Amino acid sequence: LKRYSRKQDALYHGMREALESGALAQDEKLPSSRALAAQLGIARGTVVLVYEMLESDGLIGFARCKRALVKQKVDARFKTAAVPFHLSAWAGRLAAREEILAPRRIDFGAGYTDRALFPERDWRSALHRAMRSFDPGRAAPIAGVDALRLAVASHVVRRRGMRVHPDQVVIVNGSIQAIAILCHLLLNPGESAVIENPGYRGIYDSVRLAGGSPLLGPVDESGIQVEDWKARMCFVTPARQFPTGAALSNDRRAHLVRWAEKRRAVIIEDDYDSEFRRRGRPLEPMHCLAPAHVVHVGTFSRTLAVGLRLGYAILPQNLVEPFICAKRTFETHPAGALEQTALAWLMKSGAYERHLRRAGRHYARRHDLLHGLIARQLKDALEIAESETGLHAFARWKKSAKMLSVFEGRCREAGIYPGFTRRHYFQRYAPSMLFSVAHLTESLIEEGIGTMGRIFRSL
Ligand SMILES: Cc1ncc(COP(=O)(O)O)c(C=O)c1O
């Protein structure tokens, strides 16, 4: 640091070098300006000035308490030269996708739940209990912690009327893991899997990545239109079609089961969003109609938190072993054994059902509010599809697709992100929007729809 005549320059360059080396962790606290000045025997004002310079370089930030924090940047010097590796055909089928980590200001597209409604006290005490029996020297079975498999089995028996033995339940890292594994287990390259159009993009991608060929089944207000497909498997969202919200009619359910029996095919019932029912009787899962042909896949992403990565697959007996073997190739021991044990406690103690009832009441209020606001502010633009359950609403756009693009662009500029449905149509896009409201407060819903209404009227 003798290179610099001024203390300020010496300190600035010295700290810059340390920050750019990447040796300090993101959000690591730097000494307070007072402490550093005393340590180096320089004026505090000099340190404050240097911190400000580093902040404008984007190398540090300040916490709410004004404490300086490291902001990590990757220095160009630490980047390695790109080697042109040969990627596999599998990698070639991967579709680039934008990752949305933090909800945007008003994001109607994100399928998150509300932080304020998370059963924090019960979860803490469940974690505490789980910790008592947690043994770091032992791994949980790959199918999941036994207590959770049991809790899930009794949950679906009690609430959904299913007939399930805990041995048929495998805990997965979110339902998408079950979907991907099933594609690998049931499809040879080039073989077909039926998927709904529109449908969940993650299912389409999983089929394609496994080398399979997605066969599109059109969806109307009674769900997927069943045909005598030449296919090994069929993915459906019978309780609440994604994204349209339609419930699969009884006729079509029976038709689908007859198809599976005839073709010796597997139906994958993606039950992603049926726990929060606002009206009517709960629908019987398809699993009850044909347990030997149906894999029932459920998730805690919408009821608790997407970040927990906990879901389950309820499999016909003869698929349990192959499924567990496939899972083991991706993870030798299951992730989150502690959280799995905590969740088992939460379910066993009744706290989970209490949470479903309480959160369900809040979500129903938000839904009614959304429906009322759209009917008042956007009635010439959107027609909401009626649905008795679920965390999002689907709305058909009444004007042209071109006008929708302009509208979406203007909403984005205003910081409002409607749920865009384009990526869930694999063919014949029908202009539409999604509105998830579970993670938004009532005032944000009002502000969001109010702004969208003003934008629409100005078009
Ligand atoms: C229809 C549908 N299926 C499956 C998933 C995957 O959910 P997760 O992997 O979080 O359980 C989602 C997520 O949004 C979904 O919308």
Side-chain angles (χ1 to χ4, degrees):
L1 295 179
K2 293 211 172 68
R3 274 182 282 155
Y4 301 98
S5 54
R6 292 194 310 167
K7 287 176 188 155
Q8 175 190 319
D9 294 341
L11 182 61
Y12 169 71
H13 288 286
M15 289 197 71
R16 209 189 139 102
E17 214 163 284
L19 287 161
E20 284 184 336
S21 75
L24 300 168
Q26 168 78 16
D27 288 338
E28 192 172 320
K29 279 188 189 149
L30 294 172
S32 70
S33 53
R34 191 188 301 276
L36 190 58
Q39 193 187 335
L40 300 174
I42 58 177
R44 184 170 170 216
T46 307
V47 178
V48 171
L49 190 69
V50 167
Y51 276 3
E52 280 170 7
M53 287 159 71
L54 293 169
E55 187 194 17
S56 67
D57 291 344
L59 289 169
I60 66 170
F62 288 92
R64 233 181 266 155
C65 60
K66 304 229 165 54
R67 204 50 196 271
L69 302 174
V70 174
K71 264 199 200 169
Q72 219 173 32
K73 257 193 173 175
V74 180
D75 188 304
R77 283 174 302 164
F78 294 93
K79 283 194 183 152
T80 49
V83 177
F85 295 120
H86 289 287
L87 292 181
S88 67
W90 184 87
R93 291 194 291 269
L94 283 170
R97 260 174 47 190
E98 182 193 5
E99 187 181 24
I100 303 166
L101 284 179
R104 287 108 164 210
R105 207 179 109 63
I106 304 185
D107 187 355
F108 288 109
Y112 299 124
T113 45
D114 189 345
R115 167 77 178 84
L117 294 178
F118 186 79
E120 189 170 329
R121 254 207 2 223
D122 290 326
W123 182 249
R124 271 178 202 276
S125 84
L127 265 180
H128 195 74
R129 271 176 172 278
M131 201 54 226
R132 278 194 232 150
S133 61
F134 183 63
D135 178 356
R138 283 176 51 178
I142 196 75
V145 165
D146 287 340
L148 183 56
R149 297 172 77 191
L150 182 65
V152 167
S154 57
H155 180 78
V156 296
V157 168
R158 221 177 36 254
R159 265 179 87 98
R160 311 297 303 280
M162 289 163 64
R163 291 218 311 271
V164 172
H165 190 277
D167 286 353
Q168 292 172 261
V169 179
V170 179
I171 305 301
V172 285
N173 304 338
S175 49
I176 195 68
Q177 188 186 39
I179 290 166
I181 288 177
L182 288 164
C183 288
H184 284 285
L185 275 186
L186 297 170
L187 289 175
N188 286 312
E191 286 177 345
S192 294
V194 179
I195 64 168
E196 297 166 324
N197 182 49
Y200 179 51
R201 180 101 220 168
I203 297 178
Y204 178 86
D205 289 344
S206 297
V207 171
R208 281 194 61 251
L209 276 172
S213 162
L215 220 164
L216 305 183
V219 164
D220 61 21
E221 59 287 345
S222 306
I224 190 167
Q225 297 168 25
V226 183
E227 287 170 34
D228 186 16
W229 304 291
K230 261 183 89 177
R232 296 261 176 202
M233 61 199 303
C234 173
F235 285 93
V236 270
T237 44
R240 176 171 160 73
Q241 204 278 327
F242 183 88
T244 64
L248 187 62
S249 69
N250 285 337
D251 285 358
R252 293 201 184 161
R253 283 167 189 249
H255 196 166
L256 191 56
V257 168
R258 283 200 301 277
W259 167 80
E261 285 166 351
K262 176 179 164 197
R263 296 267 173 196
R264 282 203 284 146
V266 180
I267 298 167
I268 288 116
E269 171 171 48
D270 179 7
D271 192 71
Y272 70 102
D273 194 17
S274 62
E275 292 285 11
F276 296 115
R277 208 165 173 82
R278 291 182 289 281
R279 287 179 300 277
R281 262 183 345 109
L283 292 176
E284 198 179 52
M286 289 221 40
H287 189 270
C288 299
L289 289 181
H293 278 276
V294 175
V295 178
H296 180 92
V297 178
T299 181
F300 294 94
S301 291
R302 302 226 172 187
T303 55
L304 280 173
V306 75
L308 276 177
R309 304 315 299 141
L310 284 172
Y312 49 88
I314 297 172
L315 297 139
Q317 278 302 352
N318 55 346
L319 279 182
V320 173
E321 215 28 61
F323 189 93
I324 290 176
C325 288
K327 187 169 186 268
R328 192 178 281 117
T329 61
F330 294 110
E331 44 179 33
T332 47
H333 303 296
L338 190 62
E339 282 98 337
Q340 288 193 28
T341 313
L343 179 54
W345 268 110
L346 200 75
M347 295 177 88
K348 194 169 167 220
S349 67
Y352 180 63
E353 285 208 23
R354 217 164 42 237
H355 159 69
L356 292 181
R357 284 195 296 275
R358 174 169 168 261
R361 283 195 296 275
H362 283 271
Y363 294 152
R365 264 208 306 278
R366 288 174 198 183
H367 248 267
D368 291 345
L369 175 70
L370 175 80
H371 276 240
L373 287 167
I374 291 187
R376 282 198 300 280
Q377 314 250 13
L378 287 161
K379 69 171 185 308
D380 295 331
L382 293 167
E383 182 191 327
I384 287 214
E386 284 305 322
S387 169
E388 298 181 336
T389 181
L391 293 190
H392 72 258
F394 177 82
R396 194 178 60 77
W397 176 254
K398 295 180 176 175
K399 306 283 180 188
S400 69
K402 202 163 145 211
M403 190 171 173
L404 179 59
S405 301
V406 177
F407 180 62
E408 285 172 349
R410 296 272 300 277
C411 289
R412 248 184 295 208
E413 279 164 26
I416 318 271
Y417 287 75
F420 307 120
T421 56
R422 265 189 204 84
R423 56 196 305 273
H424 300 299
Y425 279 84
F426 316 114
Q427 214 176 56
R428 291 195 203 97
Y429 174 57
S432 47
M433 285 184 160
L434 278 183
F435 291 88
S436 294
V437 285
H439 60 299
L440 296 175
T441 60
E442 294 178 12
S443 64
L444 280 178
I445 298 170
E446 277 168 9
E447 184 190 329
I449 302 296
T451 308
M452 287 176 74
R454 276 193 297 282
I455 293 173
F456 179 72
R457 288 189 293 277
S458 74
L459 288 181

